[in-house]
Amino acid sequence: MKNLKIAIQKSGRLNEKSVQLLKNCGLDFENYKSSLITTVGNFPLEILFLRDDDIPGYVEQGIADLGIVGENIIDETESKVEYIKRLGFGKCTLKLAIPKDSSIQDIKDLNGKAIATSYPNILKNFLDDYKIDADIRLISGSVEISPGLGLSDAICDIVSTGGTLKSNGLKPFADVKNSEAILVGREGLEGNEILIELVQRIESVLLAKETKYVVLNVEKKNLPAITSLLHGVKSPTVVPLAEEGWVAVHTVITEDDFWDKINKLKAEGAQGIVVMPVEKIIL
Ligand code: ATP
Ligand code: ZN
């Protein structure tokens, strides 16, 4: 079967995590920053390193079969690509922000105002939904300085912590779009065996990332209370300790309710709790 090509960001915020994800899938490749393309040694895949803005177009045209790119870029470029898997990294929000002392209070106050952004298409669609007619000014970088320069009344830009907004005297005003990195594919990949194998590996890596392996000691009399807290996983492994009347319990816990669960286990008599990362989970 013909090798698949996957496009990932060459350098920037998504590069490292995209490379790491593929490596965690057991793919063996050199991450040469200088080359555009590299071949995976132990899997029928080639990796293209591109600017993120070019990735959806390459996939849409079939120059690459797959791509890892932010949803913000997919939407902005309005590319026709298939969503294969949300990857849970590169999370950010495209937000409207206004100067701290702005008189704008409501989305409809944006009517007739100038808004600077690098995301004119997403912003236009958002404003159209609210039937707002604003003057969208395309700026490719440092959008956040434009109100201070008198170039716009508001901005629409990617925000993760809000620090850049604050240091430019701006405050977030409304969320336009949430984004994360997505594995996308060209049309016509359904049933491709290489893709099926790759997606299976990605899923097991993502599942493992959300999961911790936990070992704890507990007195036998407290075991029922402990195991009842651990429903959701197949019955935990229980191993006798050298000390009479004590056992060790081995189990996995998901990240989302991790601390809550650990506290409850402690309250029911769990001791010596050891938490370890999980590399892969194959269901
Ligand atoms: P390129 O050189 O590939 O064009 P870039 O400078 O346009 O890179 P980056 O800043 O590396 O892009 O961001 C890549 C993607 O990372 C964004 O499109 C977005 O999906 C995601 N992202 C996550 N957090 C942030 C953030 N705080 N600011 C900007 N982008 C973010
Ligand atoms: Zn870019």
Side-chain angles (χ1 to χ4, degrees), residues 9-14 50-53 70-73 90-92 119 158-160 179:
Q9 193 188 23
K10 185 175 175 66
S11 64
R13 289 189 156 94
L14 299 182
L50 302 176
R51 285 203 58 187
D52 66 345
D53 315 69
E71 216 175 348
N72 52 318
I73 304 291
K91 286 193 175 165
C92 55
Y119 294 89
I158 296 279
V159 175
S160 46
S179 178

Side-chain angles (χ1 to χ4, degrees), residues 28-56:
D28 181 20
F29 59 94
E30 302 280 346
N31 185 20
Y32 288 124
K33 291 264 179 219
S34 55
S35 64
L36 175 69
I37 188 158
T38 187
T39 304
V40 175
N42 58 353
F43 195 79
L45 191 72
E46 282 159 60
I47 303 172
L48 300 176
F49 296 97
L50 302 176
R51 285 203 58 187
D52 66 345
D53 315 69
D54 296 334
I55 293 175

Side-chain angles (χ1 to χ4, degrees), residues 20-31:
Q20 203 51 54
L21 175 66
L22 296 177
K23 294 218 156 154
N24 288 345
C25 287
L27 307 188
D28 181 20
F29 59 94
E30 302 280 346
N31 185 20

Side-chain angles (χ1 to χ4, degrees), residues 20-164:
Q20 203 51 54
L21 175 66
L22 296 177
K23 294 218 156 154
N24 288 345
C25 287
L27 307 188
D28 181 20
F29 59 94
E30 302 280 346
N31 185 20
Y32 288 124
K33 291 264 179 219
S34 55
S35 64
L36 175 69
I37 188 158
T38 187
T39 304
V40 175
N42 58 353
F43 195 79
L45 191 72
E46 282 159 60
I47 303 172
L48 300 176
F49 296 97
L50 302 176
R51 285 203 58 187
D52 66 345
D53 315 69
D54 296 334
I55 293 175
Y58 268 60
V59 174
E60 182 175 9
Q61 292 167 46
I63 301 167
D65 303 286
L66 302 168
I68 294 178
V69 66
E71 216 175 348
N72 52 318
I73 304 291
I74 304 168
D75 280 14
E76 183 56 31
T77 55
E78 296 178 341
S79 307
K80 285 186 196 56
V81 292
E82 310 276 344
Y83 276 44
I84 299 175
K85 191 90 211 156
R86 299 188 159 270
L87 299 174
F89 61 85
K91 286 193 175 165
C92 55
T93 306
L94 190 61
K95 289 187 191 227
L96 282 161
I98 50 176
K100 271 203 227 80
D101 54 2
S102 171
S103 61
I104 296 169
Q105 292 195 344
D106 192 87
I107 292 184
K108 64 178 187 304
D109 296 337
L110 292 169
N111 241 323
K113 295 287 197 296
I115 310 172
T117 188
S118 314
Y119 294 89
N121 291 325
I122 296 178
L123 179 58
K124 171 90 173 56
N125 288 333
F126 177 83
L127 294 175
D128 283 353
D129 285 347
Y130 286 90
K131 303 203 165 35
I132 286 159
D133 188 18
D135 174 12
I136 298 174
R137 302 208 169 147
L138 176 61
I139 294 187
S140 58
S142 304
V143 171
E144 64 284 350
I145 63 170
S146 81
L149 297 174
L151 293 172
S152 69
D153 305 298
I155 66 161
C156 175
D157 201 8
I158 296 279
V159 175
S160 46
T161 61
T164 314

